[in-house]
């Protein structure tokens, strides 16, 4: 077990770069399964998937929400791809829910990560009335390996179990849209090997590799997507986004695709000083798209 965790951390290091790992969850975080998550390996913090909500000013709220999957190679969670995104969305009236999902560095493998992401969408949908949200405007967002998790949910959702004892499990896990930021998409030629190892383990079966190569799993029912990447990304090749966009096009699914020349991996908002004019252009382009989708509204 120790050797496996050491390997997971070693795979993660090249991807993290200067990213700060996600800090301790804020006090309003709550577990996805209060009685314990299915498949948990223990009772440590790393065994407890949680959601942390960030709500916009009620006067500006649009009723839309996005579940955010931070990146980190399936071995860590990057703070700037979690809370920072949520607060960015709040500025446009969108509620953000940051998901702390279980990781390969803690001994977990697929389908545990997908199980956590699906539960998060179901939970937000189930509690939509309580939180003054529209259950038909709940999206997902992810960066890097978190983008792989988001794209997995976008292509592997289900309608829920109508007869489930838990009312949350009766809800659909299908997001109404997806935002994919320099995402790992494929487990094939252009994958990020560390993410693949942490998600699938050593020598995964070919069928599993294909099933988690999400460019091969797109259908006409895949939700609309905003996709962005940089040409200079050395950690996750731009082909990941290009192949996913091509699959969406062939399936007739609407999307926005933005490939920016400059910028490496793990950009997040592109600045840490919280000045909108210094953010990466993807933030402005994404807000335009979110308005088209009915998630955001024009500022007064």
């Amino acid at each position: 077990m120790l050797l496996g965790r050491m390997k997971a951390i070693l795979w993660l290091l090249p991807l993290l770069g200067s990213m700060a790992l996600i800090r301790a969850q804020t006090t309003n975080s709550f577990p996805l399964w209060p009685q314990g998550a299915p498949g948990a390996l223990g009772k440590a913090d790393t065994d407890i998937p949680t959601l942390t909500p960030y709500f916009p000013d009620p006067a500006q709220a649009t009723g839309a929400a996005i579940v955010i999957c931070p990146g980190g190679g399936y071995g860590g969670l990057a703070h700037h791809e979690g809370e920072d995104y949520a607060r960015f969305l709040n500025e446009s009236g969108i509620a953000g829910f940051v998901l702390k999902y279980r990781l390969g560095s803690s001994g977990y493998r697929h389908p545990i990560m997908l199980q956590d992401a699906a539960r998060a969408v179901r939970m937000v949908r189930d509690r939509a009335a309580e939180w003054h949200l529209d259950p038909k405007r709940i999206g997902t967002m992810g960066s890097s390996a978190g983008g792989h998790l988001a794209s997995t949910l976008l292509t592997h959702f289900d309608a829920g179990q109508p007869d489930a004892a838990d009312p949350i499990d009766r809800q659909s896990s299908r997001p109404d849209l997806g935002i994919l930021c320099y995402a790992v998409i494929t487990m094939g030629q252009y994958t990020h090997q560390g993410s693949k190892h942490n998600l699938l383990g050593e020598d995964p079966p070919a069928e599993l590799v294909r099933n988690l190569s999400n460019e091969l799993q797109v259908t006409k029912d895949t939700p609309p997507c905003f996709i962005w990447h940089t040409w200079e990304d050395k950690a996750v090749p731009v082909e990941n986004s290009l192949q996913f966009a091509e699959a969406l096009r062939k399936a007739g699914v609407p999307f926005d695709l933005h490939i920016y020349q400059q910028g490496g991996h793990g950009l997040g908002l592109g600045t840490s000083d919280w000045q909108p004019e210094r953010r990466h252009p993807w933030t402005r382009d994404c807000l335009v798209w979110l308005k088209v989708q009915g998630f955001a509204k024009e500022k007064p």
Side-chain angles (χ1 to χ4, degrees), residues 37 81 100 133 297:
E81 295 168 353
K100 185 187 77 169
L133 300 173
K297 61 183 179 183

Side-chain angles (χ1 to χ4, degrees), residues 6-47:
M6 290 179 62
K7 285 184 177 179
I9 293 171
L10 289 173
W11 276 115
L12 173 63
L13 290 176
L15 190 61
L16 288 177
S18 61
M19 295 192 300
L21 290 182
I22 200 163
R23 296 192 286 270
Q25 297 290 307
T26 56
T27 55
N28 61 335
S29 301
F30 53 86
L32 293 179
W33 287 274
Q35 306 306 316
L41 300 176
K43 296 183 179 181
D45 183 66
T46 53
D47 300 308

Side-chain angles (χ1 to χ4, degrees), residues 222-238:
T222 301
C225 293
F226 180 92
I227 308 163
W228 74 274
H229 219 113
T230 66
W231 178 84
E232 292 181 340
D233 195 328
K234 302 300 183 184
V236 177
V238 70

Side-chain angles (χ1 to χ4, degrees), residues 4-114:
R5 293 191 179 192
M6 290 179 62
K7 285 184 177 179
I9 293 171
L10 289 173
W11 276 115
L12 173 63
L13 290 176
L15 190 61
L16 288 177
S18 61
M19 295 192 300
L21 290 182
I22 200 163
R23 296 192 286 270
Q25 297 290 307
T26 56
T27 55
N28 61 335
S29 301
F30 53 86
L32 293 179
W33 287 274
Q35 306 306 316
L41 300 176
K43 296 183 179 181
D45 183 66
T46 53
D47 300 308
I48 304 172
T50 66
L51 269 183
T52 304
Y54 295 84
F55 293 108
D57 182 339
Q60 300 298 321
T62 67
I66 293 180
V67 173
I68 303 165
C69 305
Y74 282 119
L77 296 172
H79 178 80
H80 73 294
E81 295 168 353
E83 179 181 340
D84 287 5
Y85 284 179
R87 297 194 184 281
F88 160 69
L89 293 170
N90 286 171
E91 293 175 353
S92 295
I94 303 169
F97 291 82
V98 178
L99 173 63
K100 185 187 77 169
Y101 53 95
R102 288 170 284 179
L103 298 166
S105 53
S106 297
Y108 292 98
R109 297 289 185 262
H110 174 77
I112 292 295
M113 296 79 160
L114 175 58

Side-chain angles (χ1 to χ4, degrees), residues 153-206:
L153 186 57
L154 290 164
T155 53
H156 296 73
F157 55 83
D158 64 66
Q161 304 173 33
D163 58 349
D166 185 341
I168 294 175
D169 290 335
R170 301 171 197 164
Q171 299 289 338
S172 168
S173 65
R174 181 185 186 272
D176 295 300
L177 58 73
I179 301 172
L180 303 176
C181 312
Y182 42 89
V184 179
I185 297 291
T186 187
M187 293 287 105
Q189 178 182 359
Y190 296 107
T191 194
H192 175 258
Q193 292 295 335
S195 298
K196 180 179 179 180
H197 174 268
N198 285 333
L199 178 67
L200 303 181
E202 297 282 357
D203 300 320

